[in-house]
Amino acid sequence: MSTRELPGPGRGERVADWFDGRLGIHSLGRKYLRKVFPDHWSFLLREICLYSFVVLILTGVYLTFFFHPSMNEVTYHGSYLPLNGVRMSEAYASTLEISFDVRGGLLMRQLHHWAALVFVAGMLTHMMRHFFTGSFRKPREINWLFGWSLLFLGMFEGLFGYSLPDDLLSGTGLRFVNGALLSVPIVGTYLSMFLFGGEFPGDDIVARFYSLHILVIPGIMAALVVAHLLLVVYHKHTQFAGPGRTERNVVGAPFMPVYLAKAGGFFFLVFGALALMAAVATVNPVWSYGPYRADQVSTGAQPDWYLGFAEGLVRIMPGWEITLWGHTLVLGVLIPVVVFPLLLVFIGVYPFLEARITGDRREHHLLDRPRNRPVRTGIGAAWISLYLILLAGGGNDIVATRLHLSINTVTWAIRIAAPAVPVIVFVVTRRICLGLQLRDRERVLHGRETGVIKRLPHGEYVEVHEPLSRAELHTLTAHERPGELVEHEP
Ligand code: HEM
Ligand code: HEM
């Protein structure tokens, strides 16, 4: 065949070449599309975070087309007749319009709100899975901090979001924020005036929260998500111990095509589940609360679940006040305002605390089984129990009415449970871990109990034990025992 007859590159190949010459996509792709992903069900939690974040951005952009972030007063004349003729802010009126007059508006609002609830739940569970398995250890401490910042920002992003519609519930939440700011000594009044642009509630807060909500915080969060994922690529994945898995390799399926297909499918699953929730379950029906008025307050007012623990801290505090040099310190609010961030900061700095206390400064790429780290597992369980108790405290009125109890009984029960239960949970969890370790040890040394009883020729009955497979033996023994840490020179 002469050279003239050779077929030239096809159109697709030419386009690909053109782009590759300018962007280097081919070499990048060749390197990263074969990136290996280990498999474990708990790794899916991160995908719930990622995809609900994507849903939040998509639905959020749709909402910006119709939402008016203004506190100018208007008289409502829309489709929701019970509020016809009522004076309200433009923000609230536009939320009613989104809910009743914009095509797909209510679905989008509910999708946005459900996605927010699931997003923070996803982050908390993803965080706890990394906590319990010790993946935050060197070299991933900074990625832990990136993740932690996402959680922290996510909570405030939610608070700013549900304050936007300017309904009676969100206004009650803002009054709470105002009270918390005012309790700060010396600068409290300035902080409140600065945030609200004058006396609470002022005319600016919705517009201010709007810029933070749709621009500043999502921008920082998107950058953090990218940095978080880049660091995962740089560090490579952690994995559970098992045959063939070491501190130096990663065993799993390649990104392309296996993982991409899985991740793509999972995106539609998360999107579908959220859409279903948004379609069938009402969330934040602002029309039934009415517009915010500073002289009114709604009963049964709750923040979204992820901030319930902060509310709980305030509700269980006695209304203590002291007067110093002619100034009143409202300890009943100030103490919770200090404890609330501390509870979160403890989680943020935990990797550094653990490394310092255990003296373990080595790199770790193999994950711990929680039972093999009884103290850490105990601390994690105790933290969750405190969080849940305070969450119940934040809904003490709901608990009291649902269980037909006096609100004082509920409040006192939570006051006692908040310090006591985490200690009990710590001790019990630690014991359970040690028990499970003994069970593992028993299985390694004597094999699995088969339940088959044999009678020996001399009449003795014994249970037949089946030795574990080599793979199982490896998995159960591939961990360090206390006292194995390498001593470092100070
Ligand atoms: C992590 C991200 C986000 C969270 C946790 C979040 C959370 C929320 C929540 C809970 C609400 C109240 C919804 C309701 O009315 O029931 C809200 C409202 C709103 N969000 Fe977001 N959001 C996020 C990101 C975004 C983004 C990226 C945008 C826009 C680009 C956006 C735009 C809006 C708008 C316009 C509203 C007011 C509309 C309304 O309440 O009906 N959000 N957000
Ligand atoms: C928007 C929220 C978040 C997204 C989209 C996200 C996503 C991811 C993804 C995709 C990974 C890869 C590997 C894996 O899960 O094993 C990862 C790893 C990690 N995440 Fe997150 N994450 C988020 C929030 C958080 C939070 C709140 C924390 C903890 C405070 C956290 C801590 C970590 C750590 C320590 C790793 C490294 C573990 C490893 O390499 O195995 N992340 N994250």
Side-chain angles (χ1 to χ4, degrees), residues 46 119 126-127 129-130 140 147-148 228-229 232 237-238:
R46 69 200 176 192
F119 175 56
H126 170 76
M127 173 176 96
R129 115 99 173 110
H130 284 296
R140 297 183 175 77
W148 181 85
H228 193 63
L229 299 184
V232 172
H237 283 271
T238 49

Side-chain angles (χ1 to χ4, degrees), residues 373-405:
R373 298 284 168 187
V375 173
R376 183 202 294 148
T377 307
I379 292 176
W383 189 91
I384 295 177
S385 70
L386 179 61
Y387 190 94
L388 292 178
I389 289 167
L390 293 175
L391 189 61
N396 60 354
D397 48 344
I398 309 280
V399 176
T401 46
R402 290 286 151 87
L403 300 183
H404 305 290
L405 293 167

